Amino acid sequence: MPDHPEIPRHIAIIMDGNGRWAKQRGKPRLEGHRIGAESVRAVTSACVKLGVEYLTLYAFSSENWNRPEAEVRALMALLDQFLKDKARELHEQRIRLLAIGQIERLPAKTRARLEKIIADTADHDALTLVLALSYGGREEIVEAARSLAADAAAGKIDPDEIDKELFASRLHTAAMPDPDLLIRTSGEMRVSNFLLWQISYAEMVIVPKLWPDFRDADLDEAIEEYQRRHRRFGGL
Ligand code: IPE
Ligand code: IPE
Ligand code: MG
């Protein structure tokens, strides 16, 4: 009997290794990103079947804007195409789409497409798929601090009222539970500015496979690993 038999309510994934996957095959990095979109489809459907409530995917970080312009442009085009292709599938599978991050930095056309799908899928309840786009954990925390400081300066709140709950309510993830399981592919053992506040007690599973190779069976394995963990939350 696993120590922790239930399916994680919220799974967050740092989808890493697309470029290396392509390089190993002598292909342009974009090809890795393209096949990586297949992994997204597979993992999303698997989460619906398993009854996972929230799946958060780190698709583009605040720091990824610093990549060469051609790669940024290609990633934005791929995101746009992904949203175009997936709109129908999200409806059919009753998936609700959300986004976290500085989405105002995305190209206007892509942002409009994203916002339309978010509005159109708002009532769906099979899974909430959260795309982290132009997302940085430090940026998110700074924004929350700024919004609380502005309210305090305007006399709307007393600084003494600021507690963990009020702070969390100003994050992009305000309405979501914290991730239970954090998966990173490609073997890298770092967090890379992802969900810094929210992962305080997430169980981390680092998978050596590169993201374009990650499929349902790999997700099952990561969940089994999670179920073997003993979550203590600082207790005994
Ligand atoms: C992850 O793959 C996708 C994004 C960060 C957009 P990478 O592009 O980081 O691929 P590697 O890590 O260079 O192999
Ligand atoms: C993290 O991967 C960001 C995403 C997966 C979107 P990176 O490839 O950007 O992270 P580092 O540079 O290896 O830390
Ligand atoms: Mg990477």
Side-chain angles (χ1 to χ4, degrees):
M1 182 70 183
D3 204 63
H4 190 64
E6 69 268 26
I7 293 290
R9 208 179 152 199
H10 183 173
I11 299 178
I13 307 185
I14 303 177
M15 311 185 287
D16 196 21
N18 295 352
R20 278 164 281 172
W21 185 92
K23 194 169 178 213
Q24 285 174 1
R25 287 161 180 76
K27 293 182 172 165
R29 289 177 58 86
L30 182 62
E31 185 62 11
H33 298 313
R34 223 174 48 74
I35 306 298
E38 279 299 302
S39 307
V40 170
R41 195 195 50 74
V43 166
T44 305
S45 301
C47 282
V48 172
K49 288 198 198 98
L50 289 166
V52 172
E53 284 178 55
Y54 290 84
L55 171 65
T56 300
L57 300 176
Y58 203 8
F60 194 86
S61 74
S62 308
E63 288 76 20
N64 289 151
W65 290 112
N66 301 326
R67 292 189 178 192
E69 201 195 314
E71 169 139 354
V72 171
R73 212 176 319 113
L75 281 167
M76 289 300 142
L78 200 66
L79 170 63
D80 199 69
Q81 191 61 45
F82 176 83
L83 294 172
K84 222 194 242 172
D85 295 347
K86 292 298 165 241
R88 179 200 291 262
E89 237 175 83
L90 294 176
H91 267 298
E92 285 168 359
Q93 298 191 76
R94 298 203 51 76
I95 296 170
R96 173 168 76 134
L97 187 72
L98 291 178
I100 56 173
Q102 296 177 327
I103 61 161
E104 63 281 0
R105 294 184 71 186
L106 299 177
K109 172 180 82 160
T110 308
R111 182 183 172 183
R113 207 187 285 291
L114 179 67
E115 283 173 345
K116 178 163 190 329
I117 302 177
I118 290 173
D120 290 350
T121 62
D123 295 331
H124 290 181
D125 54 11
L127 168 75
T128 298
L129 172 63
V130 186
L131 295 181
L133 295 167
S134 187
Y135 176 86
R138 286 185 168 180
E139 284 78 354
E140 182 186 37
I141 289 169
V142 167
E143 270 178 39
R146 198 186 295 126
S147 109
L148 289 167
D151 281 2
K156 289 190 208 155
I157 57 166
D158 181 335
D160 288 336
E161 276 174 56
I162 300 174
D163 57 11
K164 287 184 284 185
E165 286 67 35
L166 183 59
F167 197 91
S169 76
R170 301 296 171 100
L171 298 170
H172 294 184
T173 51
M176 305 172 200
D178 286 341
D180 302 293
L181 169 60
L182 172 65
I183 300 173
R184 181 165 187 153
T185 57
S186 91
E188 302 291 0
M189 301 201 186
R190 55 176 172 264
V191 169
S192 302
N193 205 12
F194 190 42
L195 299 175
L196 299 181
W197 171 280
Q198 298 86 344
I199 59 172
S200 353
Y201 273 102
E203 294 296 328
M204 298 186 62
V205 173
I206 308 287
V207 179
K209 266 195 188 174
L210 304 173
W211 177 249
D213 288 328
F214 194 91
R215 286 295 182 275
D216 313 30
D218 305 296
L219 181 71
D220 291 341
E221 259 180 52
I223 292 174
E224 281 162 24
E225 163 81 33
Y226 166 84
Q227 290 173 331
R228 285 192 292 269
R229 302 276 178 89
H230 180 197
R231 301 185 82 186
R232 281 185 289 275
F233 299 100
L236 294 180

